[in-house]
Amino acid sequence: MNTNNGKVSEGGLNVTLTIRLLMHGKEVGSIIGKKGETVKKMREESGARINISEGTCPERIVTITGPTDAIFKAFSMIALKFEEDINASMTNSSVTSKPPVTLRLVVPASQCGSLIGKGGSKIKEIRESTGAQVQVAGDMLPNSTERAVTISGTPDAIIQCVKQICVVMLESPPKGATIPYRPKPASAPIIFAGGQAFTIQGQYAIPHPDDWMPLLQPVPMNLLFPMIIYFLKSECLGDAMQSMVHA
């Protein structure tokens, strides 16, 4: 979380914030909406800048920047949209207990100690005063110095929780350089057959680029399967089964 000209005034926060959220593809699709209409409405009504990382990653980073009022309005709209999605999913479901709305913030690890507080006192105070569940991940996100902070509850509880987290972050700025978390693209399944590694892409098996053998032309699956069956029936069955991995 980055801040500019940060100070806490008598009327509340008076600062420009940048908050990063970690979302799954389905969640991102929900806030983008058909032809981008939902995220356009969120930007216009909140006044916040909402940017979504590019790519086909299973996880995406959603960056929200603006004055505190705009940030909280954007969070409110996102939380309410996710609650709508939960209600819609329960319409034809046998599930009786309604799951909470859940958001995942990405926070520099150097600020997480202040968020937890001595003996967990600060995070306990936030939980009790807002009614939201807050969990700080013990490990840093891969190849970064950031941790995920998961907030669950009603939309109102989430907004109150985010406000308190922002105050803590302003009072305890990050220490040192922050290496931001960047989600990696999804890796296609890899299968080994006849001494060659193949990546499965739709109806074709593409020779894996990391394999040491010369790159071959894509092989249609109907031609590859006989090779796999022959290979599995061979004496190398045990080794072959161990070699079938998902990247």
Side-chain angles (χ1 to χ4, degrees), residues 87-139:
N87 290 337
S89 69
M90 292 182 68
T91 303
N92 298 314
S93 173
S94 58
V95 178
T96 53
S97 58
K98 182 179 175 180
V101 174
T102 300
L103 296 178
R104 289 182 296 166
L105 276 61
V106 180
V107 176
S110 61
Q111 293 179 291
C112 288
S114 301
L115 181 57
I116 294 167
K118 190 173 182 179
S121 58
K122 189 64 186 178
I123 200 166
K124 182 183 178 184
E125 177 191 320
I126 293 173
R127 286 169 180 156
E128 290 178 351
S129 63
T130 65
Q133 287 297 314
V134 189
Q135 292 183 322
V136 179
D139 297 326

Side-chain angles (χ1 to χ4, degrees), residues 63-75:
T63 305
I64 305 175
T65 304
T68 51
D69 286 349
I71 291 282
F72 300 146
K73 176 65 174 173
F75 262 89

Side-chain angles (χ1 to χ4, degrees), residues 182-246:
R182 302 186 189 282
K184 287 189 174 182
S187 297
I190 297 175
I191 192 166
F192 293 86
Q196 170 74 36
F198 293 90
T199 302
I200 308 303
Q201 295 182 12
Q203 298 296 317
Y204 288 88
I206 311 297
H208 197 265
D210 294 339
D211 198 55
W212 63 269
M213 295 183 69
L215 193 63
L216 304 175
Q217 291 297 315
V219 180
M221 290 297 289
N222 63 331
L223 297 180
L224 179 64
F225 276 125
M227 294 168 56
I228 298 171
I229 298 302
Y230 173 80
F231 189 57
L232 293 178
K233 287 182 177 178
S234 71
E235 295 177 357
C236 303
L237 177 60
D239 294 337
M241 294 302 289
Q242 292 178 7
S243 298
M244 294 172 68
V245 297
H246 289 279

